[in-house]
Amino acid sequence: MSLRYLKGVATLKLDAARCTGCGMCVNVCPHAVFRLENRKAIITDADLCMECGACALNCPVQAITVKKGTGCATAVRNGFLHGTEPDCGCGEDSGC
Amino acid sequence: MSMNGNENQFTTVTGTLNTSAGQIPSTSAEYKSADRLAAWKARWGIHRAAWLIKPGLYALGAPSAASPVFATANYKLSFDNLRRNLKGIDSWILVLNTKGINVWCAAGKGTFGTLELVRSIMETGLEKLLEHKSIILPQLGAPGVAAHRVKAYTGFSVTYGPVRAEDIPEFMRLGNKTSPEMREVRFGFFDRIILAPVEFVQFGKYILPAALILYLLGLKADAVLAAGALLAGSVLVPAFLPRLPGRSFALKGAAAGFSVVAALSPLLDFDLYQFCARTLIYIPIASFIGLEFTGSSTYTSLSGVKKEMRIAMPAQALALLTGLLMLAFRRLL
């Protein structure tokens, strides 16, 4: 399956100098964005990133940064209307 | 916990197990028709908030101090999906309090998170019960849990299991390791179409009454088109997602909307002017609903959604307004 979202928008960054090659990012990424090469993680294709933030949160040496969020139009609209960060309002009776 | 009081029909708690950490409720891998019905209801949004599982520790089968521990959310669909895939695996299930939200959404919000996991491990006395200090989390819990922090706070090491619970037996056979296939989130036809009811209900509750009013006002064609736009955005977008043009969901929704308006046009007694006006009104509605599907998709990023909304929202509003003005203008002539 080759479902891909918009090109060149993901905020994912990897600092190779900090990376210890533990492979946690490879383990947690749901879209196979990372690969280990010569004992370091590399980003194979940042356009596959959905900014879930799992890699950055689980990186023990803070080598990864990403502006974590949910790619959800309802959340963006709620955030815009209430002047807050995007909030999907998941809870009670919502769809997600 | 269930509001409609028929909790006993479900296979949530089947008995209790006496352990060194006290009495632990036990559950089973059996999946009954009542569980299936509950899942179906939850997908259609019926009593959705009622499908909560009591947080805490559960025993499945006859677990010992050496048995594995699997963590999940206190949403019935998440809990059931885990236990039914643990057939023949004596294990402990640790249910975190995610307020009835599934693992992935809860991890995104942080309720399936480091602190809740740490609190759960400590409160349930897991340490006293086990001879090992490891816990298996669904991979989709990772956006909320920092494995190295859990280790630092509790001494428990977190292993991320497969995305799909059905891969757990294979994961265990590989020595608690995931393969690349197990780690990848899919969004195939079936994954998408089961989300259609939620989308349909969410927008149908506004659009279907509106269509009825249009019908009663004698605007039968518009009633049909409104229902068609709802169908395009909530059903055709999920069903044909990879085939609809572009990467933008607003564009995919617009394309689905155009297809429906075009398909219905032979049935409607419109001249070109009226056809254009209706196109401008109903395509943005389908586009709007299509854009909402980003929230249910498994691959859209916040940055991407923001980018497409900046363009799509004004375009949708402008098209709708133009269409309505065209119709009003013609009335006036």
Side-chain angles (χ1 to χ4, degrees):
Chain A
M1 185 204 66
S2 59
L3 279 168
R4 278 160 180 270
Y5 201 41
L6 310 186
K7 270 186 224 171
V9 292
T11 52
L12 180 70
K13 296 271 183 299
L14 167 67
D15 181 354
R18 287 187 169 206
C19 178
T20 57
C22 74
M24 247 346 233
C25 52
V26 180
N27 285 339
V28 298
C29 179
H31 290 290
V33 170
F34 300 94
R35 203 175 61 214
L36 283 185
E37 215 172 79
N38 302 323
R39 295 186 182 180
K40 290 264 187 191
I42 57 160
I43 294 174
T44 55
D45 183 355
D47 285 346
L48 292 175
C49 176
M50 62 176 293
E51 301 179 328
C52 74
C55 54
L57 187 62
N58 281 279
C59 177
V61 292
Q62 286 92 50
I64 302 169
T65 54
V66 61
K67 187 164 185 324
K68 176 186 169 164
T70 316
C72 169
T74 317
V76 174
R77 192 175 318 105
N78 286 347
F80 180 76
L81 293 176
H82 302 134
T84 59
E85 284 294 295
D87 174 18
C88 66
C90 290
E92 285 93 73
D93 243 4
S94 76
C96 47
Chain B
M1 293 297 289
S2 159
M3 281 186 211
N4 51 5
N6 59 358
E7 191 189 16
N8 296 338
Q9 298 166 25
F10 307 139
T11 323
T12 304
V13 176
T14 52
T16 51
L17 190 76
N18 288 314
T19 71
S20 54
Q23 285 204 332
I24 308 276
S26 53
T27 186
S28 92
E30 196 193 351
Y31 193 66
K32 292 192 207 159
S33 53
D35 298 314
R36 203 177 304 275
L37 179 67
W40 182 86
K41 279 185 172 176
R43 294 231 182 267
W44 282 93
I46 305 166
H47 280 301
R48 214 189 144 82
W51 311 122
L52 296 162
I53 299 289
K54 194 169 184 251
L57 192 65
Y58 292 79
L60 190 139
S64 69
S67 299
V69 185
F70 295 93
T72 189
N74 77 322
Y75 177 43
K76 180 162 169 61
L77 265 63
S78 307
F79 180 75
D80 280 2
N81 199 29
L82 173 62
R83 65 175 180 83
R84 68 191 291 207
N85 283 293
L86 293 176
K87 204 163 258 177
I89 303 170
D90 294 325
S91 49
W92 305 100
I93 298 178
L94 185 63
V95 177
L96 305 192
N97 186 0
T98 62
K99 304 183 169 74
I101 305 293
N102 71 66
V103 172
W104 208 11
C105 282
K109 289 179 87 72
T111 46
F112 190 102
T114 307
L115 291 179
E116 170 60 14
L117 179 59
V118 168
R119 193 195 61 77
S120 267
I121 290 172
M122 290 177 167
E123 224 163 70
T124 54
L126 207 52
E127 202 178 326
K128 287 180 277 176
L129 207 59
L130 303 170
E131 61 186 37
H132 64 84
K133 281 196 146 193
S134 61
I135 182 160
I136 300 163
L137 259 61
Q139 186 195 314
L140 295 185
V145 177
H148 55 282
R149 294 235 162 87
V150 176
K151 174 99 182 170
Y153 296 150
T154 65
F156 272 79
S157 61
V158 167
T159 305
Y160 289 108
V163 166
R164 288 163 293 274
E166 68 199 50
D167 288 329
I168 289 173
E170 178 66 7
F171 162 81
M172 293 180 78
R173 207 185 58 77
L174 294 174
N176 287 3
K177 285 199 165 49
T178 50
S179 67
E181 293 74 35
M182 287 182 203
R183 291 197 290 264
E184 205 154 349
V185 162
R186 296 182 202 138
F187 205 39
F189 179 78
F190 185 71
D191 303 318
R192 301 191 306 266
I193 208 70
I194 55 168
L195 299 167
V198 166
E199 302 283 312
F200 187 85
V201 169
Q202 195 184 342
F203 293 98
K205 67 185 174 204
Y206 306 111
I207 294 178
L208 293 176
L212 184 68
I213 291 167
L214 288 169
Y215 184 82
L216 294 174
L217 289 173
L219 299 163
K220 287 179 185 158
D222 287 282
V224 170
L225 286 169
L230 169 66
L231 192 77
S234 65
V235 180
L236 297 188
V237 168
F240 299 107
L241 196 71
R243 285 160 195 261
L244 290 165
R247 292 184 175 193
S248 147
F249 278 51
L251 194 63
K252 286 175 185 288
F258 180 77
S259 313
V260 167
V261 175
L264 291 172
S265 64
L267 307 170
L268 311 167
D269 188 24
F270 287 154
D271 57 28
L272 185 64
Y273 183 89
Q274 288 204 323
F275 176 76
C276 289
R278 258 63 179 211
T279 304
L280 287 170
I281 292 168
Y282 294 103
I283 287 180
I285 295 173
S287 172
F288 185 90
I289 301 171
L291 184 53
E292 291 295 302
F293 194 58
T294 50
S296 298
S297 86
T298 60
Y299 69 99
T300 51
S301 63
L302 177 60
S303 302
V305 170
K306 277 183 171 171
K307 185 183 178 184
E308 76 164 308
M309 282 181 87
R310 273 195 293 270
I311 303 160
M313 302 290 286
Q316 288 163 355
L318 191 66
L320 188 67
L321 194 65
T322 310
L324 290 171
L325 284 173
M326 278 175 79
L327 290 184
F329 186 65
R330 190 163 214 195
R331 279 276 150 94
L332 291 176
L333 285 179

